[in-house]
Amino acid sequence: MFLTISATGTTGKPATDLGFLLHKHPGKAQRFSTSHGTAHVFYPEATAERCTAALLLEVDPVALVRRGQGKGRGGAPDAALAQYVNDRPYAASSLLAVALSAVFRTALKGVCAARPELPGRPLPLRVEIPALPARGGAELVHRLFGPLGWESVRTEPVALDERFPEWGDSRYVRLVLEGELKLDDALRQLYVLLPVLDDAKHYWIAPDEVDKLLRAGDGWLAGHPEHALITARYLARHKRLTQNALERLELARLAEADGSEVEELDNAVDESRDTEDRPVPLAVRRRDAILAALRDAGAARVLDLGCGQGQLLQALLKDASFTEVVGVDVSMRALGTAAKRLRLERMGERQSSRVRLLQGSLAYTDKRLAGYDAAVLSEVIEHLDLPRLPALEYAVFGAARPRTVLVTTPNVEYNVRWESLPAGRVRHRDHRFEWTREEFRTWAGQVAERYGYGVAHLPVGDDDPEVGPPTQMAVFTRATGTETTGTTETTGTTRTPKEGEAA
Ligand code: SAH
């Protein structure tokens, strides 16, 4: 199994920078032992003009068979010979992808300590794979690599046997990709698409494959026209995992369309209403209200569910009474921004032991979320389709079950006060719904009752006498003695806000 990556140099940017990016010195040939054989990395050429790194994986077919992984899809027990005589050692397949991630792990992450400016730069790259197994043929290869920013995607059929042209082509193609891409983007594409084209994943598909796929697919998979095929094949057509991944991609797509819009609108409104001194943006008032409610509840270990770009996490970390702070979001991009905002990489050990960022969908129960004092869902529920909401309710109130849950959501009645908002429009294009105060109270009351919580409602922002406050907040408190799940019998209480009750 063989793959080469070449870079062309330009003035002031020698091609040998590739060696820095790959963390492999061009002057050395190196060997790495991987779970399936020995990987070799060497540079057939390394000049300022052109530098080529080669990755060769020498697969140990006997070891593969012993591990029960040489059969490919559905190998029959009587196909004993096929176990030893198969294409695994020669074709660029999922094994090569695994070797790629093992040998070039740091490069895949787009990190280069020696030359931090390098990974951010697109390079004139050329990737060549002489024997790429392609179930679906050259046509599929083009459909997969075509939309990914390469200037040229070339495939040549590989004959089954050159001595007998009448036998036709094998299922292999020679692939050459050329274009200006960032190296980590190119590597992450290969990491996903080699096994997808091979379509015979050699290892057991574990649930964390979804995370691996989404990590490697960050920035290109969600918007890829073939994302459904890529996802299904990568996960070996495992139904539940594929569905989970597709859903998370869908959410990631929506979250990417997200961003500053909400806050801009929030800021705009408050500015028009509060002209004296410096106006306090609604987003800030919301955060202050959340912090106050968390302190009231005496919470020390806090989950920020749907943490977005981490503004609340940052505020939580400034207060030492919050001893552990965990941000969860479905969007890798949002988490990346949050990590930067918090300066996670430069944080001292003591600080960094207080904070964690997790990727995950709130529509699935997640063991990592159990045992916290409080969970915040700030402007998150309205991003879920209504039919998905019960899944989130179960995951948060039924499974994670913190003592306190804070939920904020827009009050749709207030929308008439937003001058920049056309009548009948929601505040953000990704909002699936926006509720009146009555609708929110009804929902909160039902959730509280089903899961054994009491609930109080608080306004956030100026409480307009006619239409109420711009943001509404529900504070759920778990009834004592109902720490575990399955408390569907317990009755919650709903407290309606008293007139003039402040946030
Ligand atoms: N809590 C932040 C961000 C709100 S925007 C704030 O108050 O400003 C909504 C966030 O929820 C986005 O970051 C989006 O990626 C995330 N989100 C939406 N659906 C989700 C889901 N099912 N699981 C996890 N996060 C989700």
Side-chain angles (χ1 to χ4, degrees):
M1 294 190 204
F2 192 60
L3 161 91
T4 61
I5 302 170
S6 314
T8 317
T10 51
T11 35
K13 294 173 187 164
T16 41
D17 280 351
L18 185 66
F20 282 104
L21 279 166
L22 290 172
H23 295 249
K24 300 287 173 278
H25 194 282
K28 281 196 273 188
Q30 288 174 271
R31 293 162 59 138
F32 304 88
S33 92
T34 76
S35 46
H36 305 289
T38 308
H40 302 263
V41 178
F42 54 96
Y43 289 77
E45 56 187 335
T47 65
E49 291 75 46
R50 206 176 144 78
C51 181
T52 298
L55 172 65
L56 172 77
L57 179 64
E58 245 182 308
V59 173
D60 177 354
V62 178
L64 264 189
V65 172
R66 288 219 188 94
R67 294 165 64 101
Q69 296 170 329
K71 298 191 281 284
R73 180 179 297 280
D78 60 346
L81 186 61
Q83 293 191 359
Y84 289 91
V85 186
N86 63 36
D87 68 356
R88 296 297 89 187
Y90 315 110
S93 70
S94 42
L95 298 182
L96 189 56
V98 172
L100 193 82
S101 77
V103 173
F104 298 133
R105 207 149 60 104
T106 319
L108 254 138
K109 286 193 205 142
V111 174
C112 180
R115 300 276 304 277
E117 79 287 1
L118 283 184
R121 270 192 216 150
L123 294 177
L125 289 177
R126 181 177 191 278
V127 174
E128 176 167 352
I129 303 173
L132 172 70
R135 225 174 276 262
E139 191 250 341
L140 183 60
V141 176
H142 285 273
R143 259 161 54 210
L144 295 186
F145 284 102
L148 291 177
W150 298 96
E151 273 138 49
S152 116
V153 178
R154 277 181 293 139
T155 51
E156 274 168 36
V158 175
L160 203 53
D161 188 324
E162 273 163 13
R163 293 163 303 172
F164 304 104
E166 65 277 17
W167 288 6
D169 295 331
S170 67
R171 66 181 191 92
Y172 302 98
V173 298
R174 187 174 88 95
L175 171 67
V176 179
L177 302 168
E178 281 174 324
E180 287 222 358
L181 265 80
K182 292 196 298 166
L183 182 68
D184 68 303
D185 286 342
L187 291 175
R188 288 185 299 114
Q189 293 173 11
L190 292 169
Y191 174 73
V192 172
L193 295 180
L194 295 187
V196 162
L197 283 161
D198 188 11
D199 202 20
K201 233 170 182 255
H202 63 282
Y203 56 85
W204 174 242
I205 301 285
D208 76 333
E209 291 297 318
V210 175
D211 292 326
K212 283 189 201 157
L213 172 65
L214 295 183
R215 262 199 306 274
D218 184 39
W220 65 270
L221 182 55
H224 196 294
E226 296 294 345
H227 66 271
L229 176 143
I230 294 169
T231 304
R233 278 198 181 190
Y234 184 89
L235 296 169
R237 298 189 177 77
H238 188 298
K239 237 185 169 160
R240 202 172 44 80
L241 295 182
T242 303
Q243 197 197 337
N244 178 327
L246 286 177
E247 211 166 297
R248 284 165 63 178
L249 284 173
E250 163 79 11
L251 290 164
R253 239 188 333 271
L254 293 164
E256 261 156 42
D258 220 65
S260 55
E261 241 181 299
V262 173
E263 295 227 353
E264 271 168 29
L265 205 45
D266 286 0
N267 291 340
V269 158
D270 264 69
E271 248 161 300
S272 66
R273 307 192 79 240
D274 191 355
T275 45
E276 280 173 22
D277 294 323
R278 278 184 45 213
V280 183
L282 180 57
V284 175
R285 298 178 75 163
R286 193 157 50 222
R287 265 194 303 281
D288 289 345
I290 291 167
L291 289 169
L294 288 172
R295 287 183 194 119
D296 274 358
R301 303 177 62 236
V302 179
L303 297 167
D304 183 6
L305 305 176
C307 62
Q309 305 180 347
Q311 290 93 337
L312 177 65
L313 295 172
Q314 192 176 31
L316 286 165
L317 283 175
K318 285 195 183 131
D319 182 337
S321 62
F322 301 113
T323 57
E324 194 182 336
V325 173
V326 178
V328 181
D329 207 285
V330 75
S331 159
M332 285 299 270
R333 183 157 301 197
L335 290 175
T337 310
K340 273 195 211 123
R341 177 189 305 280
L342 302 174
R343 296 179 213 267
L344 273 193
E345 299 211 324
R346 270 166 285 168
M347 215 175 237
E349 214 169 290
R350 254 199 36 227
Q351 266 307 67
S352 67
S353 66
R354 281 175 68 207
V355 58
R356 258 185 317 146
L357 298 179
L358 304 175
Q359 200 221 3
S361 169
L362 299 169
Y364 294 87
T365 57
D366 189 334
K367 287 200 189 79
R368 300 175 297 181
L369 307 186
Y372 285 83
D373 298 331
V376 178
L377 286 158
S378 165
E379 308 296 286
V380 173
I381 58 171
E382 65 276 8
H383 288 262
L384 272 84
D385 284 321
L386 273 175
R388 296 298 290 161
L389 204 50
L392 173 142
E393 293 159 18
Y394 178 73
V396 175
F397 294 90
R401 263 190 110 54
R403 190 157 39 81
T404 304
V405 181
L406 305 182
V407 179
T408 78
T409 195
N411 164 23
V412 72
E413 295 167 76
Y414 189 88
N415 285 4
V416 294
R417 295 282 184 270
W418 300 73
E419 273 154 35
S420 56
L421 196 67
R425 273 265 308 276
V426 291
R427 295 183 197 180
H428 188 275
R429 71 183 124 102
D430 187 40
H431 286 181
R432 308 309 167 84
F433 59 86
E434 284 176 353
W435 278 334
T436 61
R437 285 168 290 175
E438 192 50 45
E439 285 168 321
F440 184 48
R441 252 172 242 155
T442 304
W443 172 81
Q446 283 165 356
V447 170
E449 183 166 334
R450 181 162 314 130
Y451 294 106
Y453 280 76
V455 60
H457 290 271
L458 297 171
V460 179
D462 297 338
D463 200 353
D464 185 285
E466 243 177 275
V467 295
T471 298
Q472 37 188 352
M473 175 155 85
V475 181
F476 295 83
T477 309
R478 196 180 61 216
T480 42
T482 58
E483 283 75 16
T484 50
T485 46
T487 52
T488 47
E489 304 305 318
T490 324
T491 309
T493 50
T494 307
R495 183 169 73 89
T496 40
K498 295 183 200 82
E499 193 138 5
E501 189 169 53

